[in-house]
């Protein structure tokens, strides 16, 4: 069987695809076909592919990035393709992909695919390992310097830069003896060449006593040192690695460096950024015409990557993001990491706000290209807030707070947005902070409630399911629906605890009602998952535990997932969907018709239902005669996919009749039942039991 192949992308003519696709599928591969240069970028963006097969006689000039490639040429003479040695010869590799002459040789084709996949995965693992080792060396508290066999510097970590006084960029390729000069602490005589001694003896050597390191500025620093040969895969020496430890009692250069720089990304940290921001404010006060701007960035979906792939992957993503951000700013600007997934930029010498917005647009564009993280294609975006300053005497902290407020406003508008601060945002930020505090208190003091709303058959009126909805019984504002506070919860990092509380409370209540009313034994419960919940790697395990505690079969649980989340064709999403399927949980696409949907992606999702966006229902007027095109398209697509459709927010009998006439099977809304608190729902269930 192929090695964990999800999808193959075949770029060829229909004639070639007509016989090659069945051959590939018969061996267990999933195949999608692209037959035009225009369609290729769209399909690459919409799908998650493990390997691409490209016909050089069909499409040229467009190559998928980050995928292992196998080339073939449908124009090759038929006699040539029959040469028996072609497949074996071409398997030796023609970078950046393999060329396969005989596609009808099933064994050679399968071998080529498995070889390419194995090679690609191995290279990704090596890349991840190299990045991990580089990150480890960078974050060490000791100075580390490596050389080649000729004694030329090949690596230097930030601690070595601070200790010796040489920057890595200017030291690479120079003789290490010129960069690192050490003398005997008593005689001040130069020490014998440690690099030559390590290579000559092929063992690690070190100074028994402290020696003096002569820094670039002439300072003498007592250090302990150790040096050892570096070896290649065959065990042969390929260079040396030197470790220096500062033995002074004063704050070490590493501590001084760490006080001003982020050890992971090597960017300036908050302290250094605020110092430069203060200087910019002072210059603006002295020079009325000087203007500058502060950009505050927060990465979207970083926590999901960190939780799903681990902290090493999160660190790798942060470093990669830092490198891309560096390409978006000038040398006179300051790019800093504040911690976590937050970055800040100080843009100096700008003339107008459009100078800052252009930088924000460049950042968004740079982040559109997926990152390769541990053999996964990971795509993130940033929410950016911009605060512009001129000659007014602004406090640096206030300016940063303004950029932060604008960033939260951008995040509220959706991923990949930027906002420029205005005074209204300040009031918004204060109100949001108050909401966050009150919401945390609500979770602690038990102010959350679950309301229940039945879903009915539009033709017969009988119950098809019941949806559990999260409400907040606010001590001053009264009952608030989830729509009014879940956005704040997501920003405050409370979405997961709120969602978990809803699942536990609803399942426990459902267990009690099923035990009390036998007619409910096969009635499903519908719950909506928030994106942050779906990103939790142990979501399926926690759901399974809750279902077992409440003695409920997974088939009675319907989980609603947003289209934005499901349209992401990443391995993380696929893994979660697969684990939920194993629990027999039914997956329902929420708010269908409200945004972008990839039809090809949709047809491959393990869905058991679709819920329309409420706006499609609300648009139905009292005298609706002509079919609404958006609604008609959504219903026809659901019919093609053979999925039942539920229409929410039905308020009038005209809407219900119109939806039923259009082919919608199920409905929900105040026309039938409003959301009911647990006590009211219990009474309703009792009446239904008597009528049954």
């Amino acid at each position: 069987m192929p090695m964990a192949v999800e999808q193959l992308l075949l770029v060829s003519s229909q004639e070639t695809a007509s016989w090659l696709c069945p051959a590939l599928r018969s061996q267990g591969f999933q195949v999608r076909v692209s037959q035009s240069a225009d369609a290729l970028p769209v399909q690459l963006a919409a799908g998650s592919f493990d390997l691409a097969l490209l016909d050089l006689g069909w499409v040229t000039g467009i190559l998928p990035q980050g995928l292992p490639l196998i080339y073939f040429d449908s124009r090759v003479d038929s006699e040539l393709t029959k040469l028996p040695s072609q497949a074996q010869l071409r398997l030796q590799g023609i970078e950046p992909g393999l060329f396969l002459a005989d596609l009808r040789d099933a064994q050679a084709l399968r071998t080529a695919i498995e070889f390419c996949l194995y090679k690609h995965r191995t290279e990704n693992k090596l890349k991840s390992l190299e990045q991990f080792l580089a990150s480890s060396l960078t974050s060490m508290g000791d100075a580390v310097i490596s050389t080649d066999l000729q004694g030329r510097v090949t690596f230097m970590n930030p601690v070595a830069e601070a200790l010796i006084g040489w920057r890595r960029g200017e030291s690479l390729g120079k003789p290490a003896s010129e960069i690192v000069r050490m003398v005997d602490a008593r005689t001040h005589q130069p020490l014998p060449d440690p690099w030559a001694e390590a290579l000559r003896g092929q063992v690690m050597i070190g100074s028994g006593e402290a020696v003096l390191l002569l820094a670039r500025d002439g300072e003498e620093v007592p250090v302990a040192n150790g040096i050892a040969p570096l070896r290649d895969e065959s065990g042969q020496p390929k260079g040396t690695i030197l470790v220096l430890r500062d033995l002074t009692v004063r704050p070490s250069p590493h501590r001084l460096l760490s006080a001003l720089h982020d050890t992971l990304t090597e960017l300036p940290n908050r302290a250094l950024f605020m110092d430069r921001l203060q200087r910019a404010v002072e210059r603006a006060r002295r020079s009325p015409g000087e203007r500058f701007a502060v950009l505050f960035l927060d990465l979207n979906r970083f926590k999901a990557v960190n939780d799903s792939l681990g902290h090493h992957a999160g660190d790798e993503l942060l470093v990669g993001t830092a490198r891309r951000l560096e390409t978006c700013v000038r040398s006179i600007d300051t790019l800093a990491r504040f911690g976590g997934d937050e970055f800040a930029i100080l843009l100096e010498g700008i003339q107008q706000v459009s100078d800052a917005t252009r930088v924000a647009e460049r950042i968004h564009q740079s982040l559109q290209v997926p990152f390769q993280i541990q053999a996964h294609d990971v795509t993130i975006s940033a929410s950016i807030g911009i605060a512009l300053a001129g000659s007014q005497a602004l406090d640096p902290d206030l300016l940063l707070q303004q950029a932060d407020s604008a960033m939260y406003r951008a995040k509220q508008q959706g991923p990949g947005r930027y906002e420029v601060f205005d005074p209204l945002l300040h009031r918004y930020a204060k109100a949001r902070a108050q909401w966050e505090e009150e919401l945390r208190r609500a979770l602690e003091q038990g102010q959350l409630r679950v309301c229940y709303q039945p879903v009915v058959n539009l033709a017969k009126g009988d119950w098809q399911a019941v949806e559990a909805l999260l409400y907040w019984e606010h001590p001053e504002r009264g009952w608030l629906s989830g729509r009014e506070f879940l956005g704040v919860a997501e920003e405050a990092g409370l979405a997961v605890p709120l969602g978990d509380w809803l699942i536990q409370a609803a399942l426990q209540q459902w267990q009690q009602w099923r035990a009390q009313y036998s007619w409910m034994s096969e009635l499903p419960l519908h719950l909506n998952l928030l994106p942050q919940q779906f990103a939790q790697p142990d979501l399926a395990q926690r759901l399974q535990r809750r279902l077992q505690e409440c003695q409920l079969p997974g088939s009675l649980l319907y989980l609603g997932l947003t289209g934005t989340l499901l349209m992401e064709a990443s391995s993380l999403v696929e893994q979660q969907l697969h684990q939920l399927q194993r629990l027999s949980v039914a997956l329902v696409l929420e708010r269908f018709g409200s945004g972008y949907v990839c039809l090809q992606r949709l047809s491959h999702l393990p869905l058991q239902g679709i819920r329309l966006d409420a706006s499609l229902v609300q648009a139905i007027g009292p005298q609706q005669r002509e079919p609404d095109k958006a609604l008609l398209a959504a219903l026809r697509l659901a019919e093609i996919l053979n999925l039942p459709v539920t229409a929410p927010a039905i308020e009038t009998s005209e809407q219900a009749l119109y939806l039923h006439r259009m082919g919608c099977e199920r409905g929900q809304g105040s026309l039938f039942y409003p959301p009911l608190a647990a006590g009211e729902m219990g009474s309703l269930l009792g009446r239904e039991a008597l009528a049954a």
Side-chain angles (χ1 to χ4, degrees):
M1 291 293 293
M3 299 173 60
V5 174
E6 292 284 341
Q7 293 279 353
L8 304 185
L9 174 63
L10 174 61
V11 184
S12 72
S13 64
Q14 178 62 41
E15 181 182 358
T16 302
S18 64
W19 62 265
L20 184 54
C21 282
L24 291 168
R25 288 169 180 151
S26 68
Q27 299 193 45
F29 295 104
Q30 298 181 29
V31 187
R32 296 188 189 181
V33 180
S34 178
Q35 296 178 4
S36 72
D38 293 335
L40 182 55
V42 176
Q43 289 188 288
L44 288 171
S48 178
F49 300 103
D50 295 279
L51 182 140
L53 295 98
L54 293 99
D55 185 350
L56 295 179
W58 181 253
V59 174
T60 59
I62 300 177
L63 297 179
Q65 299 297 312
L67 286 178
L69 306 176
I70 293 181
Y71 302 111
F72 63 93
D73 195 336
S74 58
R75 300 167 301 182
V76 174
D77 182 81
S78 59
E79 292 301 318
L80 178 61
T81 61
K82 295 178 181 178
L83 291 174
S85 61
Q86 286 295 309
Q88 291 79 9
L89 291 175
R90 294 302 186 182
L91 282 177
Q92 300 304 313
I94 300 176
E95 298 299 331
L98 299 181
F99 185 91
L100 195 61
D102 190 358
L103 291 178
R104 297 186 185 274
D105 186 337
Q107 183 59 43
L109 178 59
R110 178 173 172 174
T111 302
I113 292 174
E114 293 183 350
F115 173 79
C116 283
L117 290 171
Y118 174 79
K119 180 174 179 288
H120 185 67
R121 292 180 180 126
T122 302
E123 289 172 348
N124 282 334
K125 289 179 181 178
L126 289 174
K127 181 181 177 182
S128 297
L129 179 60
E130 289 173 356
Q131 291 174 336
F132 169 72
L133 293 175
S135 177
S136 300
L137 291 174
T138 297
S139 60
M140 281 183 64
D142 295 329
V144 179
I145 303 166
S146 66
T147 72
D148 58 18
L149 284 173
Q150 287 71 43
R152 295 186 295 261
V153 175
T154 57
F155 174 81
M156 179 184 291
N157 72 351
V159 181
E161 292 181 288
L163 185 63
I164 299 169
W166 285 80
R167 303 297 295 177
R168 180 166 59 180
E170 60 183 345
S171 63
L172 295 180
K174 290 184 179 295
S177 56
E178 294 182 12
I179 306 299
V180 184
R181 297 175 297 154
M182 292 181 288
V183 299
D184 187 281
R186 292 166 297 183
T187 65
H188 276 67
Q189 293 298 312
L191 294 180
D193 186 347
W195 297 277
E197 288 192 19
L199 289 173
R200 185 164 48 247
Q202 296 297 297
V203 294
M204 178 176 178
I205 61 174
S207 57
E209 300 179 1
V211 299
L212 293 178
L213 170 71
L214 303 182
R216 190 176 188 179
D217 60 3
E219 182 182 4
E220 295 181 349
V221 183
V223 297
N225 71 85
I227 186 169
L230 288 173
R231 305 181 187 278
D232 59 20
E233 296 83 353
S234 63
Q236 296 301 310
K238 66 173 185 177
T240 63
I241 185 166
L242 170 69
V243 179
L244 299 172
R245 174 164 296 176
D246 185 0
L247 298 180
T248 55
V249 294
R250 60 176 172 78
S252 69
H254 175 56
R255 292 195 189 98
L256 294 175
L257 180 70
S258 298
L260 298 175
H261 287 78
D262 172 53
T263 56
L264 176 64
T265 63
E266 302 182 30
L267 295 177
N269 62 10
R270 186 187 186 107
L272 181 53
F273 182 89
M274 295 306 293
D275 177 73
R276 294 182 180 176
L277 180 56
Q278 177 66 50
R279 294 172 187 269
V281 168
E282 293 172 355
R283 284 194 298 271
R285 289 170 181 167
R286 294 192 300 267
S287 305
E290 184 160 339
R291 306 188 75 185
F292 63 93
V294 172
L295 278 66
F296 196 83
L297 291 77
D298 181 86
L299 301 183
N300 302 310
R301 293 191 67 253
F302 172 75
K303 188 176 185 301
V305 176
N306 210 41
D307 292 343
S308 302
L309 296 181
H311 294 294
H312 289 311
D315 288 349
E316 188 178 340
L317 181 58
L318 288 172
V319 173
T321 301
R323 300 291 82 82
R324 290 197 189 177
L325 293 178
E326 285 175 328
T327 66
C328 300
V329 297
R330 304 162 299 174
S331 60
I332 65 171
D333 302 324
T334 299
L335 166 65
R337 181 189 174 211
F338 273 29
D341 59 351
E342 294 179 340
F343 296 82
I345 299 173
L346 173 60
L347 298 177
E348 301 199 56
I350 66 172
Q351 300 300 318
Q352 50 197 355
V353 68
S354 60
D355 296 333
T357 58
R358 277 196 295 269
V359 173
E361 289 166 358
R362 285 202 298 269
I363 291 172
H364 287 321
Q365 187 174 7
S366 72
L367 294 179
Q368 289 178 0
V369 180
F371 291 85
Q372 278 286 325
I373 307 294
Q374 297 182 359
H376 296 280
D377 283 340
V378 176
T379 303
I380 60 170
S381 61
S383 298
I384 305 175
I386 303 172
L388 192 66
S391 58
Q392 65 270 38
L394 281 174
D395 177 80
D397 290 323
L398 178 59
L399 190 60
L400 189 63
Q401 183 182 359
Q402 291 176 350
D404 181 58
S405 298
M407 182 275 292
Y408 272 105
R409 178 62 177 171
K411 185 177 287 287
Q412 189 183 49
Q413 301 301 315
R417 300 289 295 271
Y418 68 81
E419 286 285 338
V420 180
F421 176 82
D422 64 57
L424 290 175
L425 286 178
H426 181 60
R427 292 197 290 273
Y428 164 77
K430 291 181 64 176
R432 178 180 54 80
Q434 182 179 352
W435 271 86
E436 287 183 13
E437 182 181 351
E438 292 179 356
L439 193 52
R440 294 180 191 277
R441 195 181 305 126
L443 194 57
E444 296 169 357
Q445 298 179 359
Q447 298 174 6
L448 299 178
R449 303 287 182 264
V450 185
C451 288
Y452 301 87
Q453 188 174 29
V455 177
V456 303
N457 184 294
L458 291 179
K460 302 177 181 179
D462 55 333
W463 290 21
Q464 301 294 297
V466 173
E467 182 179 9
L469 301 163
L470 183 63
Y471 275 76
W472 178 6
E473 190 177 2
H474 195 283
E476 298 176 0
R477 299 184 177 96
W479 283 67
L480 303 174
S481 69
R483 291 191 303 273
E484 299 175 81
F485 61 85
L486 283 178
V488 177
E490 292 177 358
E491 294 178 4
L494 295 174
V496 172
L498 286 178
D500 288 350
W501 181 90
L502 173 63
I503 290 174
Q504 181 176 5
L507 290 181
Q508 288 176 347
Q509 181 64 76
W510 203 246
Q511 176 193 23
Q512 296 174 15
W513 284 336
R514 289 182 74 244
Q516 189 174 356
Y517 304 112
S518 58
W519 70 273
M520 291 180 56
S521 60
E522 299 301 322
L523 188 65
L525 176 67
H526 184 104
L527 288 164
N528 289 321
L529 280 183
L530 297 171
Q532 289 87 341
Q533 282 181 285
F534 189 76
Q536 298 297 303
D538 61 342
L539 170 65
Q541 290 84 348
R542 288 187 287 116
L543 270 178
Q544 184 178 29
R545 186 164 57 250
R546 296 295 185 202
L547 290 168
Q548 290 173 345
E549 291 172 355
C550 297
Q551 299 178 340
L552 292 173
S555 58
L556 290 185
L557 181 60
Y558 285 15
L559 291 180
L561 302 167
T562 64
T564 302
L565 191 154
L566 287 175
M567 287 306 108
E568 182 179 335
S570 71
S571 55
L572 305 180
V573 173
E574 301 298 336
Q575 181 180 354
Q576 290 287 56
L577 294 176
H578 176 69
Q579 291 179 350
L580 292 174
Q581 273 189 287
R582 293 177 61 184
L583 298 180
S584 299
V585 170
L587 303 178
V588 178
L589 175 61
E590 293 286 332
R591 299 184 61 189
F592 186 64
S594 63
Y596 164 78
V597 172
C598 174
L599 301 184
Q600 187 178 41
R601 168 76 176 152
L602 185 62
S603 64
H604 288 84
L605 290 173
L607 296 175
Q608 281 78 44
I610 286 176
R611 282 166 59 94
L612 299 175
D613 187 70
S615 63
L616 297 178
V617 178
Q618 293 164 353
I620 301 173
Q623 303 296 328
Q624 188 85 19
R625 295 184 181 277
E626 293 296 324
D628 182 85
K629 293 182 179 179
L631 177 61
L632 183 62
L635 292 173
R636 284 184 176 174
L637 179 59
E639 182 182 3
I640 293 172
L641 297 173
N642 196 28
L643 294 174
V645 179
T646 299
I650 299 176
E651 299 177 353
T652 67
S653 57
E654 290 85 354
Q655 291 173 337
L657 290 171
Y658 181 80
L659 287 163
H660 176 56
R661 190 168 63 250
M662 294 282 287
C664 182
E665 303 172 10
R666 303 173 181 179
Q668 177 186 24
S670 59
L671 175 65
F672 309 107
Y673 303 96
L676 300 171
E680 297 173 307
M681 186 66 179
S683 300
L684 176 62
L685 292 173
R687 294 195 299 270
E688 291 291 327
L690 292 175

